[in-house]
Amino acid sequence: MMYITKRMIEIRNLLQKVGQSSTVTLPSIVVIGSQSSGKSSVLEAIVGHEFLPKGSNMITRRPIELTLVNDPEARADYGEFPDLGLTRVTDFSLIQKTLTELNQSVPESLCVTDDPIRLTIHSPKIPDLSLIDLPGYIQVAGENQPRELKRKISELCDKYIRGPNIILAISAADTDLANSTALQASRRVDPRGERTIGVITKMDLVEPEKGAAILNDRQYPLRLGYVGVISKLPPQTGLFRREASNLLAGINRNEKSFFNSYPAQFGPESGVSTGTITLRKKLLQVLEQQMSSRLQETTDAIQRELEETTYQFKVQYNEQPMSAEAYLAASLDDFKHQFHEFTSSFGRAQLNSLLKDALDQKVLDQLAARYWNRPIEDLLVAPPEPDNIADLPKADPDSPYWHRQLDTATSALTRLGVGRLAATVAASAVQSNIDKLLDKSSFAKHPSARKVISEAASTVLADRSYATSDGIEISLKPYKFDPDIQPDEWAQGREHVVGVLEGELKQCQAAMKSLEASVGGKKKLKEVMSFVDKARKGEIIVEGDHPSGAGGFSAALLARGREAVFLRDRADIINLRILAAKSRQCRRPENKYYCPEVFLDAVASKLARNAVLFLQVEMLHDFYVRFPREVEAKLREHMSAAGGGGLERFAREDPKVRRHLDLIQRKELLELVLAKIEDLHRFGAGAGAGAGVG
Ligand code: GDP
């Protein structure tokens, strides 16, 4: 039983997973020959199936790394393309089609590439072999073929025919051996003929004497010898038709009937080797020998690589273990910890201030709409009575006009949908905090996982949103009609609204400053503003918005001027409002009709306080409990989706983790390979070379 080759092929497959292993190379049999020398036919005879690309214009453009696996368990022969994920292809015409497509995928301009196609064939009838089919040498480049094709094919073959590979040099009997490109190439790299097997095809096309003379060639003696074959079935006759399902049996029968007809030339006494079966046995033995002679060297190389990897593991990672699972668990733990810190820092007070800010804006809108929406001149200059705002503090406490104004504003505020506003403000604040946490977490390096977590947050938040906003609306019902404001609430409202207005004022002033800077100073802006004022009052006639401007000012400058006038007027109104809110009348809640600013602020605060109680219980607490669970579940689901492997892919998105995982995987594989190869030393070497399959 051939043992070493089988194990070494397994080992090679493992080593391929380690990645390009520079120091460990295991021998293969490389098949070279000129075009039409019968190279494909020989390979197909060995495998027992037609599977190689055919066609008059078919040039092999990529090496085919063919691994034959003797698999006594296989019920039918099948092929696998490990790089394509194609497994158990029992239809060899499909294998042929796939090879043809892979071959054609190489652009013609590239001529050939050294990127191999890997194909494994399993069968109970084949020996364990590792063969590499290379593009056939061409003599003269065809009309439509690029000039450098010939050179490139030759360079590609040179790469592969280096030791320790065994060369299978194919030449046809009907061409002069001295001109065999395959033998010329092999002689260059193996001048003493130590690792070349000569295959002479088309033995049926020459006289037996000539055929025998070729096999006895002494000009380029090969230690492993020449084998003569006929790898083509004769045209289908009754005799061979029955064998069509088994190519090798047919070929063997045909070869036997031919060679046996010439015992003097090819018989046992003649000393020449003939037949595909003989060739197959020879390949097996030669490869087994080559593998076993490389055993020690390979072991040493793997040992060295393992030592180097172990050393790297120590210095780079201090032997820290790592797995995709552990990385995910650590990332999740870390994120949950950060989330926990956030939950303890984000509660009622934070919600309240966020909601109050949003409501402040609504209060300002109401005030602007009902009280301050006229030019300042109209506000300050009486009459018309009674809606002169300047007169408001002095107005009749029973004036139905001012009562109506305040009642409408209050009712608009309480009915604006505080429930929905509160739920939205809370949800978006939580969401943006989660997104910030994610940006700082290790999930920032994993966009798709980050998205899953972020979406988990919005799902949980959205889930509670309707119920929460309805609940808030119901809880606020008592405040919708004549909210009762206590003196302390009033005092707070007064202080707060003054702050809000001062804030607005500051914004106006800052905008004014930047306008000044943009026109080239305060003085300049003043000049434009005074022009705009005069124009507005009709003291100057400006006809339309002339593109080239007016009064010596450019159109752009005038636009700035108008903006500045607006800002100035707005600041004047805000000042007026601040004064009003600070005034003596506004110290007491009884004067609410004089002080709409204070009253509405106090109402808004009341609404916010009550809404927040509900928000905290219904939304925040629920979120704090459910979100971490949801994250875990959704992430696991995400990782196992799309056929699994998601966890590994996830971890490998982080280059640091990927390098760490790669090194560990490499180390483990090398350990496994070393264990296997040591087994070979113990048992395999004793098994030695015996009878092969065939
Ligand atoms: P490749 O280009 O080297 O792969 O050559 P092929 O295997 O495609 O063979 C070229 C031609 O030679 C085909 O028509 C084969 O059928 C034919 N051929 C291959 N081997 C033999 C053989 O041993 N005897 C005869 N008569 N024809 C052969």
Side-chain angles (χ1 to χ4, degrees), residues 454-498:
S454 180
E455 280 171 3
S458 37
T459 312
V460 177
L461 288 167
D463 223 26
R464 301 297 304 164
S465 183
Y466 280 115
T468 309
S469 73
D470 283 356
I472 292 175
E473 285 300 332
I474 294 167
S475 78
L476 292 182
K477 259 197 182 138
Y479 307 106
K480 289 196 177 164
F481 308 96
D482 195 17
D484 181 23
I485 300 298
Q486 299 303 311
D488 59 329
E489 292 172 331
W490 181 271
Q492 274 171 19
R494 184 163 172 246
E495 195 184 321
H496 184 257
V497 82
V498 168

Side-chain angles (χ1 to χ4, degrees), residues 4 7 21 25 51 88 140 142 182 186-187 203 242 246 316 329 410 442 447 472 494 508 527 550 558 590 675:
I4 296 184
R7 298 284 166 261
S21 188
T25 45
F51 69 98
R88 295 202 171 253
V140 215
S186 112
R187 206 182 307 211
M203 290 294 286
R242 274 176 292 124
N246 190 336
Q316 287 186 41
T410 312
S442 52
I472 292 175
R494 184 163 172 246
C508 266
E527 282 168 24
L558 283 178
E590 290 78 18

Side-chain angles (χ1 to χ4, degrees), residues 34-41 202 204-205 229-232:
S34 335
Q35 260 186 332
S36 298
S37 58
K39 195 162 64 69
S40 312
S41 306
K202 309 191 186 181
D204 55 325
L205 296 186
V229 297
I230 305 169
S231 11
K232 183 189 176 184

Side-chain angles (χ1 to χ4, degrees), residues 319-372:
E319 298 183 335
Q320 188 102 13
M322 166 65 91
S323 70
E325 178 63 46
Y327 174 66
L328 173 62
S331 307
L332 261 176
D333 269 2
D334 194 44
F335 179 68
K336 282 187 192 162
H337 179 73
Q338 298 298 327
F339 175 68
H340 188 73
E341 292 208 330
F342 159 70
T343 62
S344 52
S345 70
F346 190 84
R348 202 185 293 178
Q350 288 71 23
L351 276 178
N352 192 58
S353 109
L354 284 170
L355 181 54
K356 186 64 200 327
D357 282 351
L359 283 173
D360 283 348
Q361 222 44 55
K362 302 284 176 191
V363 167
L364 291 182
D365 290 349
Q366 285 303 320
L367 289 164
R370 313 230 159 255
Y371 294 88
W372 309 103

Side-chain angles (χ1 to χ4, degrees), residues 595-649:
C595 313
E597 316 271 355
V598 180
F599 181 70
L600 288 179
D601 188 279
V603 171
S605 294
K606 218 176 174 70
L607 295 177
R609 258 197 317 278
N610 282 285
V612 163
L613 286 180
F614 213 89
L615 266 185
Q616 198 191 15
V617 177
E618 287 295 306
M619 198 174 212
L620 219 52
H621 278 177
D622 177 76
F623 181 78
Y624 288 172
V625 174
R626 274 178 58 202
F627 175 64
R629 283 191 229 144
E630 186 79 2
V631 165
E632 182 109 29
K634 283 279 173 319
L635 270 184
R636 298 273 170 205
E637 195 179 298
H638 173 68
M639 304 282 169
S640 58
L647 181 61
E648 192 74 18
R649 262 200 304 283

